[in-house]
Amino acid sequence: MSTNQPVPALPADGGGAPDGRQLRAILIAVSIALMAVIASVTGLNVAQTHMAVEFEASQSTVLWIINIYTLALAALLLPLGALGDRLGRKPMLVAGLAVFGIATVVAALAPTAEVMLAARVVSGIGAAMIMPITLAVITSTFPEEQRGKAIGVWTGVAGGGGILGMFLAALLVDVADWRWLFTLPVVLILVALTMTLKSVPNSRETSAHRFDTLGALISVIAVTGLIFVLQEGPERGWTAPATLISLTVGIVAAIGFVAWELHRRDASLLDVRLFRERGLSGGSLTLLVVFGVQAGIGVVLFPFFQAVLGWSGLLSTVGMMPMAVVMMMASGLAPKLAAGIGARSTMVVGIALAGVGMSLMALFVSVSGGYLSVLPGLLAMGVGMGLSMTPSTEAITASLPREKQGVASALNDVTREFGTALGVALLGALVSAGYRNAIDDKLHGIPQAAADTAREGVANAVEAAGGTGPHAQGLLHAAHQSFVDGWQQAMWAGAAIMGALLVYIALRGPKNTTSAVADETDPAEAVSAG
């Protein structure tokens, strides 16, 4: 089975192919829209305490307010991406921006937790209409010699946008009120909507087959079940009835989806036979691991910054910024490197650097070394992830034909969401397990109540230390050192996963072809430089 290369689609309104100026405007519009979606994934994390107090809500309810957005987004990506291909990418993008913007305003004004939950669900639906279309617009509009750099800008925003969004949200919460954090996505949506209406051409694809409604419904059930397990497993317990039921439903639905799509063949929502292609399988696996590691690093870093180093939430997000910045820069440079040494070689270099970064953090992290003990590892990881994300995304979109670019983009996004949820669950569990194992031997002489509290986590130990009198410093030292032990365990596991991925991509990655680099005036270059 040969790889299908997407070619630029002519606008559905009959106009000619966009010129360089319009391509720049298109790339800016879809990047801003994507930034709004990505920023909303992480922004509310910094306002958990504020929401709990204002809504008089439990921690479980607050987590649902945060997670329900991601759940709705991930579940609807494939169906809405496919509908965008058929109904028109510009109408779907405009509708998604409108739905997302209205729901975000409602969330900002929500008087109760119930209204906030409903608004977040609708925001997730709008985000699922936006996210796959932003990449599909690029792959169906940009000519081949400029597409790689445009995808590099897109992946840079997708990779670093969450950290940038969290920083701006933390800044707004710190200087104003937690509800002001919704200002950023609303402003971004208004700008993106204005630019989309003005600059983005409409493109749609015709199909000889009816829409795969049953496949779409099964995919929603499968993704919902599996994402629910990864989000709720750490909170409810991996053997809780709700977790096991959701896991069973998700697996059965996933198997059913594959069987149904094989039966539908060319009329399927997603032709699963294409996973035989090195580009699709290798690109998907790389994004799954890379975004999983990035999300898992956040789970490790924030407790380290706040509970171990004593930083504020705002300063903690500033500490993440160097990784985000170099990641976005490397995403923009990746197409040039791929043009010279090939996509597979670029992915291998990126994966290797990310693995080195995790190893550096495992080797050198310490309480006394503070931030500088982890900064080299963060920088290496940022460069590595940036280099690996762009060719992986391009490999996925190039594996599906032009009429399926919405589906290709949605598959890329679903992989990201699964990787994020899996990374948080896996690395978070490893850190917690390593912490508990290490601190058990360090609590001798600590009052029983304080010791039991300390076993729950490093933040709990810091809170409990204040009531232990002369034992306070000993408890703090034990908790900090135990967290570092758990950190090292998680980092070595991540490095091992990166090593296994490195071997797989080196042997079975996308074909190592090179292509001509776009000229110096291409729109993606201009946006990257700007």
Side-chain angles (χ1 to χ4, degrees), residues 474-515:
L475 179 56
L476 286 175
H477 177 76
H480 292 166
Q481 188 55 52
S482 297
F483 183 83
V484 167
D485 292 343
W487 168 305
Q488 291 175 315
Q489 178 175 305
M491 292 303 100
W492 283 125
I497 293 171
M498 282 294 182
L501 177 64
L502 177 66
V503 172
Y504 176 84
I505 295 300
L507 298 177
R508 295 288 302 167
K511 292 180 180 178
N512 212 11
T513 54
T514 59
S515 60

Side-chain angles (χ1 to χ4, degrees), residues 178-347:
W178 72 270
R179 291 182 182 272
W180 281 94
L181 63 84
F182 292 101
T183 305
L184 173 64
V186 169
V187 170
L188 292 175
I189 286 297
L190 289 175
V191 174
L193 184 58
T194 301
M195 294 190 68
T196 296
L197 290 171
K198 180 180 179 181
S199 303
V200 175
N202 187 25
S203 62
R204 70 171 68 92
E205 311 299 338
T206 58
S207 175
H209 308 285
R210 292 195 306 173
F211 182 72
D212 184 10
T213 304
L214 182 58
L217 291 174
I218 298 174
S219 75
V220 169
I221 296 171
V223 173
T224 300
L226 295 175
I227 292 288
F228 179 89
V229 169
L230 294 173
Q231 287 183 343
E232 293 296 307
E235 181 74 15
R236 295 172 181 258
W238 296 106
T239 58
T243 305
L244 295 177
I245 291 171
S246 182
L247 178 62
T248 302
V249 170
I251 291 175
V252 170
I255 294 172
F257 177 75
V258 172
W260 175 251
E261 298 305 282
L262 287 173
H263 170 72
R264 291 273 297 185
R265 299 179 69 83
D266 294 335
S268 61
L269 180 73
L270 172 64
D271 189 350
V272 295
R273 296 172 297 171
L274 288 172
F275 279 97
R276 299 170 186 164
E277 293 279 357
R278 289 187 171 193
L280 189 59
S281 58
S284 298
L285 184 60
T286 300
L287 287 183
L288 181 79
V289 173
V290 166
F291 277 96
V293 166
Q294 181 192 17
I297 288 298
V299 172
V300 176
L301 276 177
F302 278 96
F304 179 74
F305 290 156
Q306 294 178 305
V308 177
L309 302 185
W311 288 7
S312 66
L314 179 60
L315 188 57
S316 297
T317 58
V318 173
M320 293 281 287
M321 291 293 286
M323 183 173 73
V325 171
V326 297
M327 185 192 308
M328 297 177 78
M329 292 174 61
S331 294
L333 293 174
K336 287 186 177 181
L337 186 60
I341 66 174
R344 181 170 60 188
S345 296
T346 303
M347 291 168 68

Side-chain angles (χ1 to χ4, degrees), residues 42-188:
T42 57
L44 273 184
N45 284 322
V46 301
Q48 292 187 43
T49 303
H50 302 277
M51 287 191 294
V53 172
E54 185 159 336
F55 292 142
E56 297 181 354
S58 65
Q59 179 65 17
S60 176
T61 299
V62 171
L63 289 176
W64 264 111
I65 290 173
I66 294 171
N67 290 336
I68 197 69
Y69 172 84
T70 307
L71 189 63
L73 167 62
L76 294 172
L77 280 168
L78 276 177
L80 293 180
L83 281 174
D85 287 333
R86 288 172 175 254
L87 301 179
R89 295 175 180 120
K90 181 173 182 175
M92 180 66 80
L93 181 55
V94 169
L97 289 168
V99 170
F100 185 89
I102 293 170
T104 302
V105 172
V106 173
L109 302 174
T112 65
E114 290 75 18
V115 174
M116 176 66 84
L117 275 168
R120 292 287 286 175
V121 171
V122 178
S123 293
I125 296 171
M129 300 168 70
I130 296 168
M131 199 170 181
I133 300 304
T134 58
L135 183 56
V137 165
I138 291 174
T139 56
S140 63
T141 304
F142 279 74
E144 184 177 356
E145 67 274 11
Q146 298 175 4
R147 190 181 306 133
K149 290 185 178 180
I151 291 176
V153 173
W154 188 94
T155 55
V157 174
I163 298 173
L164 293 174
M166 186 178 292
F167 165 71
L168 293 173
L171 180 62
L172 287 169
V173 170
D174 200 49
V175 302
D177 182 79
W178 72 270
R179 291 182 182 272
W180 281 94
L181 63 84
F182 292 101
T183 305
L184 173 64
V186 169
V187 170
L188 292 175

